[in-house]
Amino acid sequence: MEQIESLKTSQQIGLMREAGLVVAGALAVVRGLVAPGVSTAELNDAAYSCITDAGAKPSFLGYRDFPATLCTSVNEEIVHGIPSARRVLRDGDMVSIDCGAIVDGWHGDSAITVPVGEVRPQLARLIEVCTDAMWAGIAAAKVGGHLSDISAAVERAVKHAANKQGNSDRYGIVRGYGGHGIGTRLHEDPYLSNYGKAGRGPLLATGTVLAIEPMITLGSASTRELADGWTVVSKDGSAAAHTEHTFALTEDGVFVLTQPDGGSAQLGEAASGLCQG
Ligand code: MG
Ligand code: MG
């Protein structure tokens, strides 16, 4: 059985929190810049400045020769899009922005999907479904639980949204890409699937730190990679959303390292419930 590669001490989680806050700050700035007419290279440059001004290093720049600070993935692009001055955002687009930063050797990793100008309601709903599924997954993580409890919660949330009365949208939970352990390396074991049966995989313990990142399309769950060797798109060209947070299991419950309030607003009672047992 795949194990949690390494449990982190509270001191190490403290350093990962610093990295997480740098990422959160960069994403907040970049979110504010997203508008029709802005290029994905401009978003990338802003994120680079935020991260380096904070004394941190971008996680992605140079990772397996990736050439940028951010991954920016527009519309049918799911993940790993390369920022470019030629890729200018248009009204009605949506853009997924993935950002990582390193503080004292420790990584934080988070992604948001942002509407550009006015988007059709279907896209706004897709972003909401992806975001809600991520939070449902985080809320399902607890000490003594299994890794796949998180996967099952993500899948359940997406199916619940698809079955909601009045919603005729179809959702694909992207196959072959998912979350991961994270620490002194951007990607550690275990792999965290966005679907599956609960009660499987390694046991979650205090000190577990994971990045959860559902990728949801308005159609196909299958993907293909573009000739640039990085950009992953939906096979059927349907739009895709991607949201991500890095979170830790601590003695006090779930703590979301890449969210300024630690996740308390979103997790609320779910988080305090986990604390009690
Ligand atoms: Mg990421
Ligand atoms: Mg990640």
Side-chain angles (χ1 to χ4, degrees), residues 94-197:
M94 61 176 205
V95 58
S96 301
I97 301 160
D98 197 344
C99 183
I102 312 169
V103 171
D104 288 337
W106 294 88
H107 290 264
D109 188 9
S110 180
I112 54 176
T113 298
V114 185
V116 183
E118 285 286 313
V119 298
R120 55 199 168 97
Q122 233 184 356
L123 295 187
R125 279 198 297 274
L126 176 64
I127 296 171
E128 193 181 303
V129 167
C130 191
T131 305
D132 289 352
M134 173 187 65
W135 283 107
I138 295 170
K142 63 175 177 188
V143 171
H146 285 271
L147 181 70
S148 79
D149 299 350
I150 302 168
S151 314
V154 171
E155 181 177 4
R156 199 182 315 122
V158 175
K159 286 191 166 154
H160 179 76
N163 292 332
K164 237 187 216 166
Q165 213 177 3
N167 189 359
S168 55
D169 301 344
R170 239 184 88 209
Y171 299 116
I173 303 177
V174 170
R175 279 7 194 192
Y177 297 88
H180 49 90
I182 177 170
T184 52
R185 289 181 299 124
L186 178 60
H187 297 122
E188 297 183 355
D189 282 338
Y191 174 75
L192 174 56
S193 174
N194 289 312
Y195 52 90
K197 284 195 161 64

Side-chain angles (χ1 to χ4, degrees), residues 219-236:
S220 172
S222 305
T223 64
R224 65 187 178 90
E225 196 180 275
L226 298 187
D228 63 17
W230 282 104
T231 311
V232 177
V233 300
S234 61
K235 211 162 202 173
D236 61 358

Side-chain angles (χ1 to χ4, degrees), residues 193-255:
S193 174
N194 289 312
Y195 52 90
K197 284 195 161 64
R200 297 184 180 177
L203 284 171
L204 303 174
T206 299
T208 299
V209 182
L210 296 168
I212 179 174
E213 45 184 318
M215 291 150 246
I216 313 293
T217 76
L218 279 175
S220 172
S222 305
T223 64
R224 65 187 178 90
E225 196 180 275
L226 298 187
D228 63 17
W230 282 104
T231 311
V232 177
V233 300
S234 61
K235 211 162 202 173
D236 61 358
S238 59
H242 173 218
T243 55
E244 178 178 24
H245 269 310
T246 300
F247 69 93
L249 291 180
T250 74
E251 282 172 6
D252 302 318
V254 178
F255 192 78

